[in-house]
Amino acid sequence: MDFEPELCRVEDALNILVGKWKPIILLHLLKNGTMRFSELKRSIPGITQKMLTNQLRELEEEDIVNRIVYPQVPPKVEYSITEYGKELEPILHTMHEWGTKHIIHKREKLIQQSVNIQS
């Protein structure tokens, strides 16, 4: 690696992505493009309206998500990934792949431990 640990900015990057819902929100927007608030809410079972609003606002503050409000009744609000935010796609993809491998690794380790105990 070509960086100094004391100058590491991984924590800064993780602070933007940390949270149960942000990666899921980003993956939906990356996959589907522009989505209305209600579409996002329906596509993420378990997220509350308040949590979705907060997570989207934080991503908007970081210039990761773009928010467009259309002046109509009822209000129409659309969200999309900014060009800057699209740079996260390979990072999220790599993290997803690693997470999948990690789950398999943990499962295999538990199986091996079980075999060792039974031997």
Side-chain angles (χ1 to χ4, degrees):
M1 295 193 170
D2 62 344
F3 59 87
E4 297 297 321
E6 61 272 4
L7 300 176
C8 180
R9 295 291 176 235
V10 172
E11 184 178 357
D12 297 321
L14 286 176
N15 283 337
I16 294 167
L17 295 176
V18 84
K20 179 178 181 179
W21 303 109
K22 286 181 185 175
I24 296 167
I25 292 167
L26 292 172
L27 290 170
H28 277 288
L29 291 174
L30 285 164
K31 178 181 178 187
N32 300 313
T34 301
M35 295 180 76
R36 293 180 69 170
F37 183 88
S38 58
E39 291 175 311
L40 267 171
K41 174 85 173 70
R42 274 193 307 273
S43 67
I44 307 172
I47 193 169
T48 64
Q49 183 166 332
K50 181 180 178 182
M51 181 59 71
L52 180 56
T53 299
N54 289 342
Q55 300 286 274
L56 286 166
R57 282 185 183 151
E58 289 176 19
L59 290 166
E60 186 181 4
E61 287 173 16
E62 297 293 341
D63 194 33
I64 306 297
V65 167
N66 187 38
R67 177 178 183 255
I68 298 175
V69 180
Y70 296 92
Q72 64 186 49
V73 177
K76 177 180 171 183
V77 181
E78 291 182 336
Y79 293 90
S80 60
I81 298 285
T82 63
E83 285 303 312
Y84 176 66
K86 288 178 183 176
E87 293 177 21
L88 290 169
E89 187 168 11
I91 296 166
L92 291 170
H93 179 74
T94 300
M95 290 176 75
H96 169 75
E97 286 181 340
W98 186 86
T100 301
K101 288 178 188 175
H102 184 65
I103 294 297
I104 293 167
H105 171 78
K106 284 176 59 176
R107 212 175 284 143
E108 289 172 350
K109 188 174 179 181
L110 282 172
I111 291 168
Q112 185 60 44
Q113 288 173 343
S114 174
V115 168
N116 290 342
I117 290 171
Q118 293 175 359
S119 298

